[in-house]
Amino acid sequence: MMSTRDPDELLREIADNVTDEFGFEACEVMMLDRKDDSFVLKVTKGYPSDTAERMKGSKKASRALLDDLKKAEKIGRFTYYYRARGDEDPNGYFVLLHPDLVYLPRMEQDAWHELDQLYVTLEDSDGSIIGYISPDSPRTSKAPGESIVANLEIFAALASIAV
């Protein structure tokens, strides 16, 4: 990550590493737009081209992210896991990703559900969130375990410095 000064290339490398090295099928990288006070989708990897195209330019208000993080379980310094309860409305954003899967029930207690969300925050030196990585669809079809979370934590610290 430290080999480039091009921000777009750096964000692509982050998404590549999360999918290729950490065992996720897909990944999104969102970065803070201070003018808009929202996080803007900068990079996706692993989604079909039509889905990636529909997602292009997606935004999430800073307040909405903070609300999501409050609802999620903090499983690391930078990592939050929102475990879908089953009563969420899958319309909108989630239906863009895999509309055929959002209504399926969770098969096992530790299974990953299409409405689950993993947030790995990127922070500046003051601890303010400047972006986040959203790994999706673990190849194991299970919620990420301790070793994956530990590795994501180290990666997030390094990615934050690089960004």
Side-chain angles (χ1 to χ4, degrees), residues 136-147:
D136 193 15
S137 300
R139 288 191 185 105
T140 63
S141 299
K142 304 279 185 200
E146 287 181 28
S147 64

Side-chain angles (χ1 to χ4, degrees), residues 15-157:
D16 286 347
N17 275 295
V18 168
T19 54
D20 298 345
E21 304 300 327
F22 293 98
F24 292 91
E25 293 290 334
C27 179
E28 306 158 37
V29 180
M30 306 279 285
M31 296 303 296
L32 180 63
D33 178 347
R34 293 184 197 281
K35 293 180 287 188
D36 219 7
D37 196 29
S38 65
F39 293 88
V40 179
L41 180 65
K42 294 293 187 177
V43 175
T44 63
K45 181 171 181 182
Y47 297 107
S49 59
D50 61 325
T51 301
E53 189 61 34
R54 285 193 312 267
M55 292 170 63
K56 195 179 274 186
S58 296
K59 291 185 176 188
K60 184 178 202 82
S62 292
R63 172 167 276 169
L65 175 66
L66 295 176
D67 288 345
D68 286 355
L69 295 182
K70 286 177 188 172
K71 294 175 193 172
E73 176 186 0
K74 189 169 185 176
I75 58 174
R77 162 110 172 51
F78 303 105
T79 309
Y80 299 79
Y81 176 38
Y82 178 76
R83 187 175 166 78
R85 296 179 315 273
D87 60 348
E88 288 89 357
D89 178 8
N91 292 321
Y93 178 74
F94 292 106
V95 100
L96 285 175
L97 302 178
H98 303 288
D100 52 330
L101 302 177
V102 295
Y103 295 103
L104 295 177
R106 187 180 304 275
M107 298 313 241
E108 299 172 13
Q109 181 65 18
D110 66 343
W112 182 264
H113 188 276
E114 192 56 39
L115 295 179
D116 288 353
Q117 185 77 28
L118 196 62
Y119 298 96
V120 184
T121 60
L122 304 174
E123 299 180 3
D124 65 14
S125 59
D126 296 326
S128 298
I129 299 172
I130 57 170
Y132 66 93
I133 306 165
S134 187
D136 193 15
S137 300
R139 288 191 185 105
T140 63
S141 299
K142 304 279 185 200
E146 287 181 28
S147 64
I148 294 293
V149 172
N151 288 328
L152 281 171
E153 292 283 297
I154 294 167
F155 183 77

